Amino acid sequence: MDGKVLEIIEKHRNDDSKLLAILHDVQNEFGYIPEDAIKTIAKELGMKKGEVYDAASFYSFFKFEPEGKHEVMICDCIVCHIKGSERIIERIEKEFGVKMGETTKDGKFTFKVVEGLGHCESSPVMMLDGKIYGDLTPEKAMEILRGCE
Amino acid sequence: MLLLKDARNVEDYLAQGGFKALRKALEFGQDEIIKEVETSGLLGRGGAAFPTGLKMKFVRKERKTPKYIVANADEGEPGTFKDRVLMERNPYQILEGMIISAYAIGAKKGFFYIRYEYKEIAKDIERKIEELRRLGILGPSIYGSKFSFDIEVVLGAGAYVCGEETALMESIEGKRGFPRIKPPYPAQYGLWGKPTLINNVETLANIPVVMSMGGANYSRLGKEGCSGPKLFSVSGFVKNPGVYEANLGEKTIGEMIELTGGVEGEFKGLMIGGGAAGFILNEEYLDMPLCFKDAKERGLFLGTGDIIVFNESVNIWDILLNIAKFFEHESCGQCFPCRYGTKRMREIIEKIVRGEGRKEDIEKLNATARAMKIASLCPLGASAMLAYESAMKNFREELMGVIQ
């Protein structure tokens, strides 16, 4: 693992804004930010391990434990809320037997509620592995999720 | 359209006269450019409506170097999506505005900060920056001039507070996105303590417009003292939600809703001012012109230029609970009034929504709102109660109707 992390750090060596970029790449590589990676980053950037973790843990999209294969973010901002996001959340929780923020037992999905995906023209929306799906109904959301490998 | 053009690739942008403003600017003196922007009356489009020319002048006169420029694309207000649509449809105009501004203030390095939710756009902007380097429009000696400038894209990681300019700078520096105490302002003490100009991406996209038509002509677009084109994010219960462009002061809120095809269902109310940090208004405001000045006269802000329309199905306490949860989650936790106040507001509103609200709860809410407004460190805490206060004024009967 160390080699890959060092490679990522090297890639950003000349950036002025390094830390967020490195953390993003590490997370893309491993699916989360492992503790060993934090150690390596700290050493290479001349920071304390606690300093790296302190900064990283501030941001809600950095993960420190492995999660499900697919990341599903359901928007519950004001606009999605008045357009029925709660019904979608209820349906998913019921069908998959999980609460928002949890991963399904088979490790396939991690569900999260977020507060603004910035696609209010097609509210209610969800983001599945970085892709936006809009004008959702509970049925349509379930259909999209069932279609996931 | 001056902003919402469709120029997704560089050939289209050049065919539509793209980068002419930059070439013109490079023949101008730096102070002349700033003078044009000042004359134009351009006000910042990210929410605060600060005069852009003045901000440029502050950075320009600083002696410290290096100087930096930051494009703020950390668009996080619920109901606001105009920056995203602008970046998708007309990204080069933002970059052109950024290059012109950098030249005017004497910056050699810029940062383009984009929220995590727009990571696909961030990749696209990165590709476009690389393309402009190849074309000699970014990098060393731009268009053969003595001016060199480059841009680094920074992807956020999910923190609403980073839209606040000093928090955003902390984030670029690789720290927690804690807002700084101001003053000093970014013009004196910005990124790594150096003079920094930070502008919203829509503001930057206006710079080539100013340079092309001249500040004086620009100032005549729209309304006196509140000039130029503005993007409006219209969402909620309207027939065709989307981003619409109009000169400031040209249309009223009601006319803008009509432009989107009208209300879906029966009109009940609306929000303006920037999503959660906005105002809940009733039909009395439909004839208010969409202009920073008209909003200010009524004690409101136009903010990012968003309009969320409510129909009869919307319950106002339910909206207030959604907003309270938003702020509780997004409070960065640095200062006590905001950290505790947002939690308390959520708890009290939750109790009211359960049907257990009493008069004392309203008094507690009012006291909490007051304390947060007076004592919060940054605009996040100070704006968390705007929706509640305005709703109490405009929907008092409905809100008090459930209080025992």
Side-chain angles (χ1 to χ4, degrees), chain B residues 70-368:
Chain B
V70 178
N72 185 348
D74 194 46
E75 178 174 63
E77 292 288 359
T80 302
F81 48 104
K82 48 108 185 163
D83 291 340
R84 189 201 93 230
V85 171
L86 183 66
M87 286 189 282
E88 282 169 354
R89 291 177 56 170
N90 195 12
Y92 295 98
Q93 193 162 319
I94 301 168
L95 294 170
E96 183 175 8
M98 197 172 172
I99 303 169
I100 295 171
S101 304
Y103 171 67
I105 61 162
K108 290 186 174 60
K109 178 82 192 247
F111 296 87
F112 203 114
Y113 190 96
I114 307 185
R115 72 193 297 238
Y116 177 80
E117 292 85 340
Y118 297 168
K119 60 180 169 186
E120 292 308 314
I121 299 175
K123 279 184 209 157
D124 190 53
I125 297 284
E126 218 150 39
R127 279 191 292 270
K128 288 181 161 56
I129 287 170
E130 186 52 46
E131 182 185 31
L132 293 185
R133 282 186 197 125
R134 282 200 303 273
L135 293 168
I137 303 174
L138 267 178
S141 33
I142 292 173
Y143 276 122
S145 71
K146 283 185 187 147
F147 173 57
S148 303
F149 175 65
D150 215 327
I151 302 172
E152 194 171 308
V153 173
V154 181
L155 183 64
Y160 165 75
V161 74
C162 288
E164 196 281 329
E165 56 188 15
T166 59
L168 190 150
M169 290 181 196
E170 291 285 306
S171 182
I172 291 179
E173 292 181 19
K175 302 180 206 152
R176 298 174 84 87
F178 276 168
R180 299 173 183 166
I181 293 170
K182 291 191 274 192
Y185 293 97
Q188 291 91 41
Y189 192 92
L191 274 174
W192 294 286
K194 303 294 183 190
T196 303
L197 177 70
I198 174 161
N199 280 330
N200 169 261
V201 288
E202 186 192 347
T203 311
L204 291 170
N206 270 278
I207 299 289
V209 181
V210 172
M211 287 312 294
S212 299
M213 66 169 64
N217 285 329
Y218 182 101
S219 74
R220 286 188 280 273
L221 296 174
K223 206 167 168 174
E224 175 84 43
C226 195
S227 53
K230 172 87 192 83
L231 300 178
F232 295 93
S233 317
V234 192
S235 68
F237 290 99
V238 292
K239 298 241 165 67
N240 298 300
V243 175
Y244 293 83
E245 178 177 332
N247 288 327
L248 284 164
E250 204 173 66
K251 290 203 162 23
T252 63
I253 294 177
E255 284 163 356
M256 184 54 81
I257 295 172
E258 284 315 307
L259 196 67
T260 71
V263 182
E264 217 176 46
E266 195 191 318
F267 176 83
K268 174 167 180 173
L270 60 98
M271 273 196 92
I272 63 160
F279 304 90
I280 297 181
L281 307 175
N282 58 19
E283 72 286 347
E284 284 168 34
Y285 293 86
L286 286 172
D287 60 0
M288 183 188 102
L290 285 163
C291 157
F292 295 119
K293 271 168 96 182
D294 286 277
K296 208 170 170 184
E297 279 163 18
R298 288 163 175 82
L300 312 170
F301 317 117
L302 211 51
T304 54
D306 72 313
I307 302 173
I308 306 173
V309 177
F310 301 157
N311 71 8
E312 75 289 347
S313 72
V314 174
N315 174 292
I316 303 294
W317 274 121
D318 187 44
I319 295 289
L320 292 174
L321 178 59
N322 180 281
I323 291 170
K325 283 181 181 166
F326 176 86
F327 279 113
E328 183 186 15
H329 183 245
E330 293 300 345
S331 172
C332 78
Q334 185 178 200
C335 76
F336 181 77
C338 177
R339 181 175 68 231
Y340 183 62
T342 51
K343 179 172 185 288
R344 194 173 157 91
M345 283 191 86
R346 193 263 304 153
E347 286 168 351
I348 300 171
I349 295 173
E350 217 160 45
K351 189 178 165 208
I352 294 168
V353 169
R354 281 200 307 268
E356 299 162 13
R358 308 177 70 87
K359 279 227 172 67
E360 305 91 86
D361 292 317
I362 299 295
E363 280 156 26
K364 280 182 203 159
L365 263 182
N366 293 340
T368 309

Side-chain angles (χ1 to χ4, degrees), chain A residues 12 14-21 23-24 27-28 47 51-63 71 73 76-86 113-123 127 129-132 135, chain B residues 76 78-81 84-85 88 109 111 113 115-120 152 154-159 161-162 171-178 192 235-237 241-242 264 271 275-276 308-310 314 318-319 322-323 325-326 329-330 332:
Chain A
H12 295 289
N14 293 324
D15 291 355
D16 285 316
S17 176
K18 292 185 186 58
L19 187 61
L20 258 56
L23 292 171
H24 277 304
Q27 182 158 296
N28 278 342
M47 295 169 79
E51 285 174 324
V52 176
Y53 185 73
D54 176 64
S57 62
F58 180 79
Y59 300 92
S60 28
F61 290 126
F62 287 138
K63 305 175 252 191
E71 185 183 54
M73 297 183 192
D76 189 36
C77 78
I78 303 167
V79 186
C80 286
H81 189 79
I82 61 175
K83 291 284 190 100
S85 53
E86 253 178 352
V113 173
V114 295
E115 297 157 326
L117 289 172
H119 285 74
C120 319
E121 72 271 46
S122 42
S123 285
M127 199 186 234
D129 298 331
K131 199 171 166 229
I132 289 283
D135 298 312
Chain B
T80 302
F81 48 104
R84 189 201 93 230
V85 171
E88 282 169 354
K109 178 82 192 247
F111 296 87
Y113 190 96
R115 72 193 297 238
Y116 177 80
E117 292 85 340
Y118 297 168
K119 60 180 169 186
E120 292 308 314
E152 194 171 308
V154 181
L155 183 64
V161 74
C162 288
S171 182
I172 291 179
E173 292 181 19
K175 302 180 206 152
R176 298 174 84 87
F178 276 168
W192 294 286
S235 68
F237 290 99
E264 217 176 46
M271 273 196 92
I308 306 173
V309 177
F310 301 157
V314 174
D318 187 44
I319 295 289
N322 180 281
I323 291 170
K325 283 181 181 166
F326 176 86
H329 183 245
E330 293 300 345
C332 78

Side-chain angles (χ1 to χ4, degrees), chain B residues 386-398:
Chain B
L386 293 176
Y388 166 72
E389 284 180 346
S390 53
M392 251 316 164
K393 188 165 160 253
N394 297 310
F395 291 91
R396 193 174 179 83
E397 220 170 292
E398 176 181 335

Side-chain angles (χ1 to χ4, degrees), chain A residues 93-131:
Chain A
E93 290 189 331
K94 192 169 154 245
E95 297 265 349
F96 289 93
V98 290
K99 289 270 165 221
M100 288 293 131
E102 294 177 353
T103 302
T104 52
K105 281 205 184 80
D106 59 2
K108 196 168 170 187
F109 295 108
T110 298
F111 295 105
K112 292 171 187 176
V113 173
V114 295
E115 297 157 326
L117 289 172
H119 285 74
C120 319
E121 72 271 46
S122 42
S123 285
V125 298
M126 69 175 182
M127 199 186 234
L128 167 62
D129 298 331
K131 199 171 166 229

Side-chain angles (χ1 to χ4, degrees), chain B residues 365-391:
Chain B
L365 263 182
N366 293 340
T368 309
R370 210 163 38 237
M372 287 168 71
K373 201 179 216 170
I374 297 169
S376 292
L377 182 75
C378 89
L380 190 150
S383 63
M385 77 299 299
L386 293 176
Y388 166 72
E389 284 180 346
S390 53

